[in-house]
Amino acid sequence: MGVTIFSGLHEHLRPEAARLYWEAFGGKLSRVLGPEARAHRYFERVIRADHCLAALDQTGALVGIAGFKTPLASFAGGTWADLCALYGPVGGRWRGRVLRLLSDDTDHESFLVDGLCVARDCRGRGIGGQLLAALYREAGERGYASVRLDVVAANRRARALYERHGFLPTRTEKLGFLRHFFGFSATITMVRPLEPRRDWGKS
């Protein structure tokens, strides 16, 4: 499947980007950010067009996204104000606390991935690998020596994909009581050292 990877996201693609993100991560976020319609509105509101790479097919349809974090912001992070606007003052505050406990991370050595999503009917066609290669280029241009992501420990398919692309597990983080909110008990941090520029497109 021929796709083109772009840096950033056109405004008219925000609703589709929100849908793709929820399709990929709604399973673990539904108890905190559901119901689905409200979650879509939330992500459409908060996604940062300058913190992602977008894969478009020949028709211009969005078929994949790779979000990332910087010290300034994250692709799908949002703020307390965003949460309160969609879920109310009380609902926004408790959701913000829970989400911050799950992921309040910065890393000055590794480029942090904030979600890699491929449309369900386009999976298995190499789009994820192309987005990863684009992330390596983005990380290198920003001066990072490695790329880092977290994957649910029980998600063997995702772990196998990242291992095929050179990511190595570095630690396992248990969620403790947060498992009741997110439906999984542990995440694995995986890191891929960046290779010479000539190898990025061949991963």
Side-chain angles (χ1 to χ4, degrees):
M1 181 181 194
V3 300
T4 304
I5 309 295
F6 293 93
S7 179
L9 185 73
H10 290 299
E11 188 66 21
H12 74 279
L13 292 173
R14 291 179 72 87
E16 185 62 16
R19 188 194 67 79
L20 270 183
Y21 196 85
W22 186 252
E23 182 180 275
F25 301 108
K28 70 177 185 178
L29 296 174
S30 60
R31 297 179 187 179
V32 178
L33 294 178
E36 183 174 338
R38 187 173 297 183
H40 282 195
R41 293 197 300 273
Y42 174 74
F43 285 118
E44 187 175 344
R45 174 189 177 104
V46 306
I47 53 177
R48 291 283 302 253
D50 59 344
H51 277 59
C52 72
L53 302 162
L56 275 63
D57 68 11
Q58 302 95 322
T59 69
L62 184 68
V63 295
I65 298 174
F68 55 82
K69 297 181 182 181
T70 70
L72 298 177
S74 63
F75 170 61
T79 65
W80 291 90
D82 293 316
L83 286 164
C84 290
L86 269 295
Y87 297 94
V90 175
R93 288 191 187 97
W94 77 256
R95 286 173 171 84
R97 291 190 182 98
V98 169
L99 291 170
R100 180 168 290 184
L101 287 171
L102 178 68
S103 179
D104 187 22
D105 206 1
T106 57
D107 192 325
H108 296 290
E109 297 182 2
S110 295
F111 192 51
L112 299 181
V113 179
D114 186 23
L116 191 148
C117 325
V118 175
R120 187 174 287 116
D121 58 353
C122 296
R123 293 172 187 170
R125 304 182 186 181
I127 297 171
Q130 292 180 63
L131 284 167
L132 285 171
L135 280 170
Y136 308 153
R137 289 191 291 271
E138 184 75 26
E141 290 168 1
R142 291 172 179 264
Y144 289 93
S146 59
V147 175
R148 194 188 108 191
L149 54 82
D150 294 319
V151 62
V152 173
N155 191 344
R156 296 181 180 178
R157 181 175 179 179
R159 287 168 55 189
L161 168 67
Y162 296 130
E163 287 170 356
R164 288 198 302 272
H165 285 272
F167 284 84
L168 300 173
T170 59
R171 76 169 187 265
T172 298
E173 188 81 22
K174 294 186 177 180
L175 267 66
F177 77 93
L178 287 178
R179 69 185 184 277
H180 300 297
F181 289 96
F182 297 105
F184 59 93
S185 59
T187 61
I188 296 176
T189 296
M190 305 185 76
V191 176
R192 183 196 192 275
L194 290 182
E195 299 174 359
R197 188 178 298 265
R198 64 179 179 274
D199 292 333
W200 290 346
K202 300 178 181 179
S203 298

